[in-house]
Amino acid sequence: MYNHRARTKFLLSLLSISAFAFLLLTTVKPLKKSPRNTEIPRLHLHKHVQIAHSHCEGTLYPELCVSTLSTFPDLGSKTVPEVIAAAVNQTVGEVRLSASNCSGIRRKLKNLNTLEGRAINDCLELHDCTIAQLQSTISDLSPKKSPAKHYHDLQTLLSGSMTNLYTCLDGVSYSKNHIRSSIEGPLRSISHHVSNSLAMLKKIPGVHSSKSEVFPEYGSTKDGFPAWLSGKDRRLLQASASQIQYNLTVAKDGSGDFTTIGEAIAAAPNSSTTRFVIHIKAGAYFEYLDIARSKTMLMLVGDGFENTYIKGNRSVGGGWTTFRSSTVAVVANNFIARGITFENYAGPSNHQAVALRSGADLSVFYLCRFIGYQDTLYVHSLRQFYRECDVYGTIDFIFGNAAVVLQNCNLYARRPNENQKNVFTAQGRDDPNENTGISIQNCKVAAAADLIPVLSSFKSYLGRPWKEYSRTVYMQSNIGDLIDPAGWLEWDGDFALSTLYYGEYKNRGPGSNTSGRVTWPGYRVINSSSVASQFTVGAFIQGDEWLPATGIPYYSNLTIV
């Protein structure tokens, strides 16, 4: 039987819903579809949400930002650092859940091949590193630490966290078990949360927004070394090998404390606040070293890069991830290496094969040599400095997403396989607010001995954009005639050509002529010393605050000494 009362009630309900919908449409402006680079609409919403909107202005993912901050109690009474700290703390919880998801995948999928298993292990390590960096971020946001004074540290920690997440995704890209699709959603969400926190740093009182684009000029040096090196570390780097007081010695012939480098590193103290020096006597050490976060303030001193070698041959072609292919990996802060060759001898046909991977903040490499083919030197993340080093490779042989300066170094392209091109750099900045990039100052860009006889058979380029906001500059360097007149190479069609930042400033040599360079929107010839100064040791990696303690010579600004 048809129920007229029910029909009437149903029609009244529809009218009520329609009236409510009309009210919403006439009082609320619609959100724009794209969350990227959009202005937050001024909605007539609760004051709590309006405060969230105010904090989220300028973020790349504003809708996510507002929905996150709106859940925080007492938002109106929180300072900007407290808001960011709360957001980061929530992100830590999401990273833990993502790590648990990765562990679950490893347990559930019994048919993981070797490469997939290694990729998952990489992800777990990278998640753990991300949690530590986010916790350090929360600590630096504490009122007791004056967050504005830690602005660059905060940028570095959050940039490093994002790099870890994308490194995990890169490692599972070729999984046959669709692992990437199982972890990508949460990782993208986490990276967007970190991106928003990174953007909000500019709102901290005492931090001027211009700092994200123009870095302060630091000029102080002591004895030709950056101010952040202690006097003791300066003496260590300036002294001859025979003058240095070592804590431990490694010698293959048994004349030291240990015969392997790994044993000596294991014996070094954890969480040291003073420099611990290990002498590695001349010889070729076939070892894979993973220098963990706990081994802070460690220094490895060889007998010169022509005498002390650390060698390995892991590669992607051999079943390893790029991340795990490194002969030596270091994530211990304040690490120093001097007078050592790091080599990956997997060869030009085994694809990515890393000689050294550094994710160590405030790390220094002095008078070292890095030998490989594809992906020789992995400047993975955080702040790094290379002085008077030699780097040999073929494809993307200096790559990663650190904030790194190579100063007075020699960069040599080797002979690649047939039909291959040489590319000196592949920088991996994913977010425009990251403080990362590769700065090459007063270096030599040249062909290695094996490439010189066949130079006309292979093209060589200064770099190509691995990620969307790739940033690389060459300054005051001697660029050889091996570099193609275009200078730079595309990664994949027009990918990143508008968002990258590639610059050249007052270089010299036959390959430095910029008249035939690419015309991409992101490429520029830098004519201003104030712009070029942003990529110097003092400004780009805050070198004057930490390099003097290491004792390594450097110049802080554009003045070559």
Side-chain angles (χ1 to χ4, degrees):
M1 180 181 289
Y2 194 84
N3 190 327
H4 290 281
R5 182 176 295 177
R7 179 176 180 274
T8 302
K9 188 175 181 180
F10 174 72
L11 289 173
L12 287 173
S13 298
L14 281 179
L15 286 171
S16 299
I17 293 169
S18 299
F20 180 70
F22 177 79
L23 180 64
L24 282 178
L25 289 171
T26 55
T27 57
V28 181
K29 295 179 181 178
L31 288 172
K32 295 180 180 178
K33 286 185 178 180
S34 173
R36 298 178 65 85
N37 297 315
T38 57
E39 183 180 350
I40 302 292
R42 296 294 183 180
L43 305 179
H44 301 289
L45 299 174
H46 188 272
K47 183 178 179 181
H48 189 80
V49 180
Q50 290 182 337
I51 294 171
H53 274 281
S54 176
H55 282 296
C56 293
E57 285 182 342
T59 60
L60 296 187
Y61 307 96
E63 293 177 9
L64 176 66
C65 180
V66 170
S67 66
T68 301
L69 268 54
S70 296
T71 65
F72 297 164
D74 305 319
L75 184 62
S77 63
K78 292 182 185 295
T79 64
V80 173
E82 286 172 341
V83 170
I84 301 172
V88 173
N89 187 56
Q90 180 169 309
T91 305
V92 170
E94 294 191 17
V95 177
R96 293 189 193 280
L97 286 174
S98 179
S100 178
N101 181 37
C102 288
S103 296
I105 290 171
R106 187 170 59 181
R107 287 193 303 270
K108 293 174 185 175
L109 293 180
K110 305 299 183 183
N111 61 334
L112 287 178
N113 60 41
T114 301
L115 181 59
E116 290 170 330
R118 287 168 176 165
I120 286 291
N121 289 339
D122 290 351
C123 285
L124 290 170
E125 178 180 329
L126 289 158
H127 277 72
D128 184 57
C129 190
T130 298
I131 291 170
Q133 289 169 352
L134 293 179
Q135 289 173 334
S136 293
T137 301
I138 295 169
S139 176
D140 282 348
L141 287 165
S142 166
K144 296 179 181 179
K145 290 197 174 182
S146 302
K149 294 181 180 179
H150 288 272
Y151 175 71
H152 292 294
D153 295 330
L154 291 164
Q155 272 192 312
T156 297
L157 289 165
L158 291 175
S159 297
S161 297
M162 290 183 67
T163 301
N164 294 336
L165 301 172
Y166 285 114
T167 302
C168 167
L169 284 178
D170 288 339
V172 297
S173 293
Y174 303 105
S175 167
K176 295 178 181 178
N177 283 288
H178 308 294
I179 294 174
R180 181 174 177 124
S181 61
S182 301
I183 67 174
E184 183 166 11
L187 283 181
R188 293 283 182 193
S189 177
I190 293 167
S191 71
H192 293 172
H193 281 300
V194 176
S195 171
N196 287 339
S197 296
L198 188 59
M200 285 191 286
L201 291 178
K202 299 173 188 177
K203 297 178 181 291
I204 295 175
V207 171
H208 301 295
S209 61
S210 61
K211 275 191 176 181
S212 64
E213 297 299 331
V214 179
F215 301 93
E217 186 94 44
Y218 296 98
S220 63
T221 61
K222 188 172 182 181
D223 303 325
F225 293 88
W228 40 264
L229 278 177
S230 71
K232 183 177 180 181
D233 280 344
R234 280 199 298 275
R235 290 190 292 274
L236 280 175
L237 286 163
Q238 291 172 315
S240 65
S242 61
Q243 295 174 312
I244 298 175
Q245 294 294 313
Y246 302 110
N247 298 100
L248 292 174
T249 298
V250 179
K252 290 179 70 69
D253 61 7
S255 61
D257 300 293
F258 298 98
T259 57
T260 69
I261 305 167
E263 290 174 306
I265 291 172
N270 292 328
S271 305
S272 177
T273 57
T274 58
R275 184 64 61 193
F276 191 87
V277 185
I278 298 175
H279 178 208
I280 307 172
K281 286 189 174 182
Y285 297 82
F286 292 83
E287 299 184 48
Y288 295 99
L289 304 178
D290 196 345
I291 303 172
R293 284 200 315 274
S294 60
K295 299 297 181 179
T296 54
M297 297 294 289
L298 188 66
M299 181 176 184
L300 303 183
V301 180
D303 283 339
F305 65 55
E306 293 182 342
N307 300 303
T308 299
Y309 289 77
I310 308 175
K311 302 170 70 111
N313 66 345
R314 290 176 178 171
S315 67
V316 169
W320 297 87
T321 62
T322 301
F323 185 78
R324 193 61 59 188
S325 71
S326 53
T327 302
V328 175
V330 55
V331 293
N333 289 351
N334 300 100
F335 175 82
I336 301 175
R338 167 183 157 172
I340 300 171
T341 287
F342 302 86
E343 183 175 355
N344 191 313
Y345 59 92
S349 300
N350 272 309
H351 308 293
Q352 297 90 337
V354 176
L356 175 107
R357 166 171 54 86
S358 176
D361 198 23
L362 312 181
S363 55
V364 174
F365 299 85
Y366 180 47
L367 295 171
C368 289
R369 184 165 59 185
F370 308 91
I371 300 176
Y373 286 91
Q374 182 172 352
D375 290 6
T376 303
L377 177 57
Y378 194 174
V379 290
H380 180 261
S381 56
L382 310 178
R383 290 166 289 193
Q384 308 177 24
F385 180 61
Y386 296 75
R387 170 80 180 204
E388 295 171 46
C389 294
D390 293 350
V391 189
Y392 290 81
T394 53
I395 302 169
D396 306 335
F397 64 93
I398 302 171
F399 77 110
N401 195 32
V404 56
V405 177
L406 294 95
Q407 193 175 86
N408 291 29
C409 294
N410 299 312
L411 315 180
Y412 294 111
R414 305 178 75 178
R415 177 174 180 164
N417 282 340
E418 297 300 321
N419 300 317
Q420 287 184 337
K421 301 177 178 69
N422 286 320
V423 185
F424 279 74
T425 66
Q427 205 280 327
R429 192 168 66 137
D430 278 294
D431 188 288
N433 289 307
E434 289 180 312
N435 65 341
T436 56
I438 297 173
S439 176
I440 295 170
Q441 185 183 21
N442 196 36
C443 293
K444 181 170 76 171
V445 176
D450 62 343
L451 179 62
I452 291 174
V454 291
L455 196 58
S456 61
S457 301
F458 300 95
K459 289 189 173 185
S460 297
Y461 298 88
L462 297 172
R464 60 176 182 158
W466 180 25
K467 302 290 184 178
E468 189 173 356
Y469 294 94
S470 181
R471 180 161 64 176
T472 302
V473 296
Y474 285 78
M475 307 191 299
Q476 302 168 301
S477 293
N478 191 333
I479 301 177
D481 60 0
L482 75 163
I483 297 300
D484 187 86
W488 306 81
L489 183 67
E490 299 86 352
W491 183 273
D492 183 13
D494 61 358
F495 169 74
L497 303 188
S498 297
T499 49
L500 59 78
Y501 186 109
Y502 284 168
E504 298 182 53
Y505 174 76
K506 290 190 175 180
N507 296 305
R508 57 195 183 275
S512 66
N513 188 335
T514 59
S515 62
R517 289 295 195 251
V518 294
T519 57
W520 307 337
Y523 169 77
R524 74 283 325 273
V525 176
I526 300 173
N527 295 310
S528 166
S529 61
S530 63
V531 173
S533 293
Q534 298 175 27
F535 302 99
T536 57
V537 167
F540 197 52
I541 57 173
Q542 298 78 57
D544 292 326
E545 299 174 16
W546 57 281
L547 275 171
T550 68
I552 289 179
Y554 80 107
Y555 37 92
S556 177
N557 46 46
L558 293 172
T559 303
I560 298 174
V561 293

